[in-house]
Amino acid sequence: MGVIAVILLAGLLGPLLATWRRLPLPIVIGEIVGGILVGPQVLGLVDPNDQIVRLLHDTGFALLMFTVGLHLRLHDPALRRALPRASLACAVTAVFAFPIAWILAELTNVQNVGAIAVVLATSSAAIALPVLSDSTGKDLPPQLAGLAAWIVVADVVTIVALPLVTAQSSVWTVLFASLAVTIIALLALVLLRFMAKSRLYLRVAQLSKEKGWGLEMRIALILLFALAWVGPQLGTSMLVAGFAAGLAVSAFGVSSRLTTQLVGIGEGFLIPAFFVVLGTELDPAGLFEVDSLILLAGLVAGTIIVHLVGGTAAGYRPAYGLIASAQMGVPLALVTLGRGEGWFAGGEASAFVAAAMISVGISAIGARRVGKSLQLRLGVPQDLKPVE
């Protein structure tokens, strides 16, 4: 139990750095740095190969991908109307990502061009949309539905593509396994909707609300961990399983009560534990090797370039491209898969994680520009914060 306490204590570095007034950092940065400090590279308090530590890592990773799926409101009519323009931006982004990925593969030890291209082209709805909401007000303004659609489409497509480009077995095996997991998630959604209409469920749900049983959260976690077990058995990763479970629960309907419960168990325990354990696996010294520095610079510059080009081709403002360049789930999933399969060295993994961290800051810069512009158009004085 002591190792769990150490991991949670290291995770507190995230909130501490995030409240630093001079340079507030995304909470994930502090959590990963905390993992580096308690890991084998510094203090040696946490062994990333320990069975309990691996369990925390895998559980947190599954829940992270679950929350990514949970954030995507694919049933939103505004998002559906913006799909053609968003799809064009994603397509152009992907086309320009491949030549940059090829150059990086030639200059570094990472030879998987497809994996690099997927990371360059991805976006993170779980990161970008909250950052955008913080800059513009409590809710995402309807004027930004097109940008939200671009981010969502890029997020979904790259999450689906990542297991295919990193497949160690047949691509068809991974494709059919991912499809099977998606079908199981859809069947679970149909079952949940049918069950939600029964008198027994309504009665138990009401008692759960009155007595604090957490029925919705229990059902969501059962679905998540069942798919996280089935996915690898069929030949795909927990990335697809967790994401599919999140989408299913999102489509079923996410109440504020369920969101609060999941935030409690996720953001308060398992997801920070995942980031801390991820930090224990990184080699910070390896980041300063020539190959790692080239990879880091190429990932940061390439991500900005492809999103600016893709956004411009679809008629989006340059600031939108900066916002859409936010990454987190896909590069961290790539690092997790690469470390698990043994084809990532510490310096290369550190470069992908560092690039993802930098992308969050770039996204925040774009969001501030959009927020100020929107306030001016709506006639909101710049010295006043949006009313919440």
Side-chain angles (χ1 to χ4, degrees):
M1 291 298 157
V3 69
I4 298 179
V6 171
I7 290 173
L8 293 178
L9 181 62
L12 289 179
L13 189 59
L16 290 176
L17 292 182
T19 55
W20 187 19
R21 291 185 177 181
R22 290 187 176 182
L23 183 62
L25 299 173
I27 190 170
V28 62
I29 294 180
E31 291 165 351
I32 293 176
V33 171
I36 293 174
L37 293 176
V38 299
Q41 302 295 334
V42 185
L43 298 177
L45 299 177
V46 177
D47 179 6
N49 296 315
D50 180 83
Q51 187 174 0
I52 295 177
V53 175
R54 295 315 305 169
L55 178 61
L56 282 176
H57 174 278
D58 293 345
T59 306
F61 177 61
L63 192 57
L64 172 65
M65 299 314 301
F66 177 84
T67 57
V68 171
L70 200 65
H71 277 86
L72 302 183
R73 301 293 188 262
L74 300 182
H75 54 278
D76 189 340
L79 291 182
R80 290 200 295 267
R81 288 193 296 270
L83 278 180
R85 190 180 181 190
S87 299
L88 174 60
C90 290
V92 175
T93 300
V95 168
F96 278 84
F98 272 95
I100 296 178
W102 179 81
I103 294 173
L104 287 177
E106 290 292 316
L107 295 176
T108 66
N109 293 324
V110 182
Q111 299 302 305
N112 193 324
V113 175
I116 300 175
V118 167
V119 170
L120 291 173
T122 192
S123 187
S124 174
I127 296 293
L129 296 185
V131 166
L132 191 57
S133 295
D134 289 343
S135 298
T136 56
K138 185 174 181 180
D139 299 314
L140 197 66
Q143 295 94 327
L144 301 179
L147 172 59
W150 178 14
I151 294 170
V152 168
V153 171
D155 206 355
V156 172
V157 171
T158 51
I159 286 176
V160 172
L162 184 62
L164 301 179
V165 299
T166 58
Q168 298 298 300
S169 57
S170 168
V171 172
W172 288 107
T173 299
V174 177
L175 182 61
F176 284 125
S178 301
L179 182 61
V181 169
T182 304
I183 292 174
I184 293 173
L186 291 175
L187 292 176
L189 172 61
V190 173
L191 178 62
L192 287 173
R193 286 185 169 174
F194 176 79
M195 182 179 65
K197 297 178 181 179
S198 68
R199 291 183 178 180
L200 176 61
Y201 177 85
L202 293 174
R203 180 172 177 273
V204 176
Q206 182 60 35
L207 287 173
S208 174
K209 185 179 295 185
E210 295 173 358
K211 300 180 181 294
W213 292 345
L215 177 65
E216 290 180 318
M217 185 180 69
R218 296 188 190 201
I219 293 174
L221 292 179
I222 288 172
L223 176 60
L224 167 62
F225 293 121
L227 288 179
W229 174 76
V230 169
Q233 299 296 319
L234 294 176
T236 189
S237 71
M238 283 191 294
L239 180 152
V240 174
F243 182 66
L247 284 179
V249 173
S250 175
F252 175 65
V254 184
S255 66
S256 58
R257 181 182 179 85
L258 175 60
T259 302
T260 301
Q261 292 169 341
L262 289 173
V263 166
I265 192 173
E267 298 295 342
F269 177 32
L270 291 172
I271 295 178
F274 163 73
F275 286 124
V276 171
V277 176
L278 178 65
T280 65
E281 298 177 324
L282 299 179
D283 178 14
L287 182 60
F288 296 97
E289 297 174 357
V290 175
D291 280 354
S292 299
L293 289 174
I294 292 174
L295 180 60
L296 172 60
L299 288 172
V300 173
T303 297
I304 295 173
I305 291 171
V306 299
H307 283 88
L308 288 177
V309 172
T312 301
Y316 291 112
R317 295 169 51 195
Y320 286 17
L322 297 180
I323 297 170
S325 67
Q327 303 175 348
M328 194 54 67
V330 168
L332 294 188
L334 175 62
V335 169
T336 300
L337 294 173
R339 297 285 295 181
E341 296 293 339
W343 40 268
F344 256 175
E348 295 156 354
S350 299
F352 277 100
V353 174
M357 292 177 178
I358 294 173
S359 75
V360 176
I362 294 170
S363 177
I365 293 173
R368 286 194 207 101
R369 293 173 61 92
V370 170
K372 289 181 180 179
S373 175
L374 185 63
Q375 290 175 28
L376 287 173
R377 276 187 283 165
L378 296 178
V380 180
Q382 294 192 49
D383 59 341
L384 296 178
K385 295 182 179 179
V387 179
E388 296 186 357

Coordinates of all heavy atoms in Angstrom, one line a residue, residues 124-182:
S124 N -6.9 16.7 -29.3 CA -7.5 16.1 -28.1 C -8.7 16.9 -27.6 O -8.6 18.1 -27.2 CB -6.4 16.1 -27.0 OG -7.0 15.7 -25.8
A125 N -9.9 16.3 -27.8 CA -11.1 17.0 -27.4 C -11.1 17.2 -25.8 O -11.6 18.2 -25.3 CB -12.3 16.2 -27.8
A126 N -10.5 16.2 -25.1 CA -10.5 16.3 -23.7 C -9.6 17.4 -23.2 O -9.8 17.9 -22.0 CB -10.0 15.0 -23.1
I127 N -8.7 17.9 -24.0 CA -7.8 19.0 -23.6 C -8.3 20.3 -24.2 O -8.5 21.3 -23.6 CB -6.3 18.7 -24.0 CG1 -5.8 17.5 -23.3 CG2 -5.5 19.9 -23.8 CD1 -5.6 17.7 -21.8
A128 N -8.5 20.3 -25.6 CA -8.7 21.5 -26.3 C -10.1 22.2 -25.9 O -10.2 23.4 -25.8 CB -8.6 21.3 -27.8
L129 N -11.1 21.3 -25.8 CA -12.4 21.9 -25.6 C -12.6 22.6 -24.2 O -13.1 23.7 -24.1 CB -13.5 20.9 -25.8 CG -13.6 20.3 -27.3 CD1 -14.8 19.4 -27.4 CD2 -13.7 21.5 -28.3
P130 N -12.1 21.9 -23.1 CA -12.1 22.6 -21.9 C -11.2 23.9 -21.8 O -11.6 24.9 -21.2 CB -11.5 21.6 -20.9 CG -11.8 20.3 -21.5 CD -11.7 20.5 -23.0
V131 N -10.1 23.8 -22.5 CA -9.2 25.0 -22.6 C -10.0 26.2 -23.3 O -9.9 27.3 -22.9 CB -7.9 24.7 -23.3 CG1 -7.2 26.0 -23.7 CG2 -7.0 23.9 -22.4
L132 N -10.7 25.8 -24.4 CA -11.4 26.8 -25.2 C -12.6 27.3 -24.3 O -12.8 28.6 -24.4 CB -11.9 26.1 -26.4 CG -12.5 27.0 -27.5 CD1 -11.5 28.1 -27.9 CD2 -13.0 26.2 -28.7
S133 N -13.3 26.5 -23.6 CA -14.4 26.9 -22.8 C -13.9 27.9 -21.7 O -14.5 28.9 -21.4 CB -15.1 25.7 -22.1 OG -15.7 24.9 -23.1
D134 N -12.7 27.6 -21.1 CA -12.2 28.5 -20.1 C -11.9 29.9 -20.6 O -11.9 30.9 -19.9 CB -10.9 27.9 -19.5 CG -11.2 26.7 -18.6 OD1 -12.3 26.5 -18.2 OD2 -10.2 25.9 -18.4
S135 N -11.5 30.0 -21.9 CA -11.1 31.2 -22.5 C -12.3 32.0 -23.0 O -12.2 33.2 -23.2 CB -10.2 31.0 -23.6 OG -9.0 30.4 -23.2
T136 N -13.5 31.4 -23.2 CA -14.6 32.0 -23.8 C -15.8 32.1 -22.9 O -16.8 32.8 -23.2 CB -15.1 31.3 -25.1 OG1 -15.3 29.9 -24.8 CG2 -14.0 31.4 -26.1
G137 N -15.8 31.4 -21.8 CA -17.0 31.4 -20.9 C -17.3 30.0 -20.5 O -16.5 29.0 -20.7
K138 N -18.4 29.8 -19.7 CA -18.7 28.5 -19.1 C -19.0 27.5 -20.2 O -18.6 26.3 -20.1 CB -19.9 28.6 -18.2 CG -20.2 27.3 -17.4 CD -21.2 27.6 -16.4 CE -21.5 26.3 -15.6 NZ -22.6 26.5 -14.6
D139 N -19.8 27.8 -21.2 CA -20.2 26.9 -22.3 C -19.5 27.3 -23.6 O -19.2 28.4 -23.8 CB -21.7 26.9 -22.4 CG -22.4 26.4 -21.2 OD1 -22.0 25.4 -20.6 OD2 -23.4 27.1 -20.8
L140 N -19.3 26.3 -24.4 CA -18.7 26.6 -25.7 C -19.7 27.3 -26.6 O -20.8 26.9 -26.9 CB -18.3 25.2 -26.4 CG -17.4 25.3 -27.6 CD1 -16.0 25.8 -27.1 CD2 -17.2 24.0 -28.3
P141 N -19.3 28.5 -27.1 CA -20.2 29.3 -27.9 C -20.6 28.6 -29.2 O -19.8 27.9 -29.8 CB -19.4 30.6 -28.2 CG -18.4 30.7 -27.1 CD -18.0 29.2 -26.8
P142 N -21.8 28.8 -29.7 CA -22.2 28.2 -31.0 C -21.3 28.6 -32.2 O -21.2 27.9 -33.1 CB -23.6 28.7 -31.2 CG -24.0 29.7 -30.1 CD -22.9 29.6 -29.1
Q143 N -20.7 29.8 -32.1 CA -19.8 30.3 -33.2 C -18.6 29.3 -33.3 O -17.9 29.4 -34.4 CB -19.3 31.7 -32.9 CG -20.4 32.7 -32.8 CD -20.9 33.0 -31.4 OE1 -20.9 32.1 -30.6 NE2 -21.3 34.2 -31.1
L144 N -18.3 28.5 -32.3 CA -17.1 27.7 -32.4 C -17.5 26.2 -32.6 O -16.6 25.3 -32.4 CB -16.3 27.8 -31.1 CG -15.8 29.2 -30.7 CD1 -15.1 29.2 -29.4 CD2 -14.9 29.8 -31.8
A145 N -18.7 25.9 -33.1 CA -19.1 24.6 -33.3 C -18.2 23.9 -34.4 O -17.9 22.7 -34.3 CB -20.6 24.5 -33.7
G146 N -17.8 24.7 -35.4 CA -17.0 24.2 -36.5 C -15.7 23.7 -36.0 O -15.1 22.7 -36.4
L147 N -15.1 24.6 -35.1 CA -13.8 24.2 -34.5 C -13.9 23.0 -33.7 O -13.1 22.1 -33.7 CB -13.2 25.4 -33.7 CG -12.0 25.1 -32.8 CD1 -10.8 24.7 -33.7 CD2 -11.6 26.3 -32.0
A148 N -15.0 22.9 -32.9 CA -15.2 21.7 -32.0 C -15.4 20.5 -32.9 O -14.8 19.4 -32.5 CB -16.5 21.9 -31.2
A149 N -16.0 20.6 -34.0 CA -16.2 19.4 -34.9 C -14.9 19.0 -35.4 O -14.6 17.8 -35.5 CB -17.1 19.8 -36.0
W150 N -14.0 19.9 -35.8 CA -12.7 19.6 -36.3 C -11.9 18.8 -35.3 O -11.3 17.7 -35.6 CB -11.9 20.8 -36.7 CG -10.5 20.6 -37.2 CD1 -9.9 19.5 -37.6 CD2 -9.5 21.7 -37.3 NE1 -8.6 19.7 -38.0 CE2 -8.3 21.0 -37.8 CE3 -9.5 23.0 -37.1 CZ2 -7.2 21.7 -38.1 CZ3 -8.3 23.7 -37.4 CH2 -7.2 23.1 -37.8
I151 N -11.9 19.3 -34.1 CA -11.2 18.6 -33.0 C -11.7 17.2 -32.7 O -11.0 16.2 -32.5 CB -11.2 19.5 -31.7 CG1 -10.5 20.8 -31.9 CG2 -10.7 18.7 -30.5 CD1 -10.7 21.8 -30.8
V152 N -13.0 17.1 -32.7 CA -13.7 15.8 -32.4 C -13.4 14.8 -33.5 O -13.0 13.6 -33.2 CB -15.2 16.0 -32.2 CG1 -15.9 14.6 -32.2 CG2 -15.5 16.7 -31.0
V153 N -13.5 15.2 -34.8 CA -13.2 14.3 -35.9 C -11.8 13.8 -35.8 O -11.5 12.6 -36.0 CB -13.6 15.0 -37.2 CG1 -13.1 14.1 -38.4 CG2 -15.1 15.2 -37.3
A154 N -10.8 14.8 -35.6 CA -9.4 14.4 -35.6 C -9.2 13.5 -34.4 O -8.4 12.5 -34.6 CB -8.6 15.7 -35.4
D155 N -9.8 13.7 -33.3 CA -9.6 12.9 -32.1 C -10.1 11.4 -32.4 O -9.4 10.4 -32.2 CB -10.4 13.4 -30.9 CG -9.8 13.0 -29.6 OD1 -8.8 12.2 -29.6 OD2 -10.3 13.5 -28.6
V156 N -11.3 11.3 -33.0 CA -11.9 10.0 -33.2 C -11.0 9.2 -34.3 O -10.7 8.0 -34.1 CB -13.3 10.1 -33.7 CG1 -13.9 8.8 -34.1 CG2 -14.2 10.7 -32.6
V157 N -10.7 9.9 -35.4 CA -10.0 9.2 -36.5 C -8.6 8.7 -36.0 O -8.2 7.6 -36.3 CB -9.9 10.1 -37.7 CG1 -9.0 9.5 -38.8 CG2 -11.3 10.4 -38.3
T158 N -7.9 9.6 -35.3 CA -6.6 9.2 -34.9 C -6.6 8.1 -33.9 O -5.7 7.2 -33.8 CB -5.7 10.4 -34.5 OG1 -6.5 11.1 -33.5 CG2 -5.5 11.3 -35.6
I159 N -7.5 8.1 -33.0 CA -7.6 7.1 -32.0 C -7.9 5.7 -32.6 O -7.4 4.7 -32.3 CB -8.7 7.4 -30.9 CG1 -8.3 8.5 -30.0 CG2 -9.1 6.2 -30.1 CD1 -9.3 9.0 -29.0
V160 N -8.8 5.7 -33.7 CA -9.1 4.5 -34.4 C -7.9 4.1 -35.2 O -7.6 2.9 -35.3 CB -10.3 4.7 -35.3 CG1 -10.5 3.5 -36.2 CG2 -11.5 4.9 -34.5
A161 N -7.1 5.0 -35.8 CA -6.0 4.7 -36.6 C -4.8 4.2 -35.9 O -4.0 3.4 -36.4 CB -5.6 5.9 -37.5
L162 N -4.6 4.7 -34.7 CA -3.3 4.4 -33.9 C -3.1 2.8 -33.8 O -2.0 2.4 -34.1 CB -3.3 5.0 -32.6 CG -2.0 4.9 -31.8 CD1 -0.8 5.5 -32.5 CD2 -2.2 5.5 -30.4
P163 N -4.1 2.1 -33.3 CA -3.8 0.6 -33.2 C -3.5 0.0 -34.6 O -2.8 -1.0 -34.6 CB -5.1 0.0 -32.7 CG -5.8 1.2 -32.0 CD -5.4 2.4 -32.9
L164 N -4.0 0.5 -35.7 CA -3.7 -0.1 -37.0 C -2.3 0.2 -37.4 O -1.6 -0.7 -37.9 CB -4.7 0.5 -38.0 CG -6.2 0.3 -37.7 CD1 -7.0 0.9 -38.8 CD2 -6.5 -1.2 -37.6
V165 N -1.8 1.4 -37.2 CA -0.4 1.7 -37.6 C 0.7 1.2 -36.7 O 1.8 1.1 -37.0 CB -0.2 3.2 -37.8 CG1 -1.2 3.8 -38.8 CG2 -0.4 4.0 -36.5
T166 N 0.2 0.7 -35.5 CA 1.2 0.2 -34.5 C 1.0 -1.3 -34.4 O 1.7 -1.9 -33.5 CB 1.1 0.8 -33.2 OG1 -0.3 0.7 -32.7 CG2 1.4 2.3 -33.2
A167 N 0.2 -1.9 -35.2 CA -0.1 -3.4 -35.1 C 1.1 -4.2 -35.2 O 1.9 -4.1 -36.2 CB -1.2 -3.8 -36.1
Q168 N 1.4 -5.1 -34.2 CA 2.5 -6.0 -34.3 C 2.1 -7.3 -35.0 O 2.9 -8.0 -35.5 CB 3.0 -6.4 -32.9 CG 3.5 -5.2 -32.1 CD 4.7 -4.5 -32.8 OE1 5.7 -5.2 -33.0 NE2 4.6 -3.3 -33.2
S169 N 0.7 -7.6 -35.1 CA 0.2 -8.7 -35.8 C -0.4 -8.2 -37.1 O -0.1 -7.1 -37.5 CB -0.8 -9.4 -34.9 OG -1.9 -8.6 -34.5
S170 N -1.3 -9.0 -37.7 CA -2.0 -8.6 -38.9 C -2.8 -7.3 -38.7 O -3.6 -7.3 -37.7 CB -2.8 -9.7 -39.4 OG -3.7 -9.3 -40.5
V171 N -2.8 -6.4 -39.6 CA -3.6 -5.2 -39.5 C -5.1 -5.6 -39.5 O -5.9 -5.0 -38.8 CB -3.3 -4.2 -40.6 CG1 -4.3 -3.1 -40.7 CG2 -1.9 -3.7 -40.5
W172 N -5.4 -6.6 -40.3 CA -6.8 -7.1 -40.4 C -7.3 -7.6 -39.1 O -8.4 -7.4 -38.7 CB -6.9 -8.1 -41.5 CG -6.8 -7.5 -42.9 CD1 -5.8 -7.7 -43.8 CD2 -7.8 -6.7 -43.6 NE1 -6.0 -7.0 -44.9 CE2 -7.2 -6.4 -44.8 CE3 -9.0 -6.2 -43.2 CZ2 -7.9 -5.6 -45.7 CZ3 -9.7 -5.4 -44.1 CH2 -9.1 -5.1 -45.4
T173 N -6.4 -8.3 -38.4 CA -6.7 -8.8 -37.0 C -7.1 -7.7 -36.1 O -8.1 -7.7 -35.4 CB -5.6 -9.6 -36.5 OG1 -5.3 -10.7 -37.3 CG2 -5.9 -10.2 -35.1
V174 N -6.3 -6.7 -36.1 CA -6.5 -5.5 -35.2 C -7.8 -4.8 -35.7 O -8.6 -4.4 -34.8 CB -5.3 -4.5 -35.3 CG1 -5.6 -3.3 -34.4 CG2 -4.1 -5.2 -34.7
L175 N -8.0 -4.7 -37.0 CA -9.2 -4.0 -37.5 C -10.4 -4.7 -37.1 O -11.4 -4.1 -36.6 CB -9.1 -3.9 -39.0 CG -10.2 -3.1 -39.7 CD1 -10.3 -1.7 -39.2 CD2 -10.0 -3.2 -41.2
F176 N -10.5 -6.0 -37.3 CA -11.7 -6.8 -36.9 C -11.9 -6.8 -35.4 O -13.0 -6.8 -34.9 CB -11.6 -8.2 -37.5 CG -11.8 -8.3 -39.0 CD1 -10.9 -8.9 -39.8 CD2 -13.0 -7.8 -39.5 CE1 -11.1 -8.9 -41.2 CE2 -13.2 -7.8 -40.9 CZ -12.3 -8.4 -41.7
A177 N -10.8 -6.9 -34.7 CA -10.9 -6.8 -33.2 C -11.5 -5.5 -32.7 O -12.4 -5.5 -31.8 CB -9.5 -7.1 -32.6
S178 N -11.0 -4.4 -33.3 CA -11.5 -3.1 -32.9 C -13.0 -2.9 -33.3 O -13.8 -2.4 -32.6 CB -10.7 -2.0 -33.7 OG -9.3 -2.1 -33.3
L179 N -13.3 -3.5 -34.5 CA -14.7 -3.5 -34.9 C -15.6 -4.3 -34.0 O -16.7 -3.9 -33.6 CB -14.8 -4.0 -36.4 CG -16.2 -4.0 -37.0 CD1 -16.8 -2.6 -37.1 CD2 -16.2 -4.7 -38.4
A180 N -15.1 -5.4 -33.6 CA -15.8 -6.3 -32.6 C -16.1 -5.6 -31.3 O -17.2 -5.6 -30.7 CB -15.1 -7.6 -32.4
V181 N -15.1 -4.9 -30.8 CA -15.2 -4.2 -29.5 C -16.2 -3.0 -29.7 O -17.1 -2.8 -28.8 CB -13.8 -3.6 -29.1 CG1 -14.0 -2.6 -27.9 CG2 -12.9 -4.7 -28.7
T182 N -16.2 -2.4 -30.8 CA -17.2 -1.3 -31.1 C -18.6 -1.9 -31.2 O -19.5 -1.2 -30.6 CB -16.8 -0.6 -32.4 OG1 -15.5 -0.1 -32.4 CG2 -17.8 0.6 -32.7

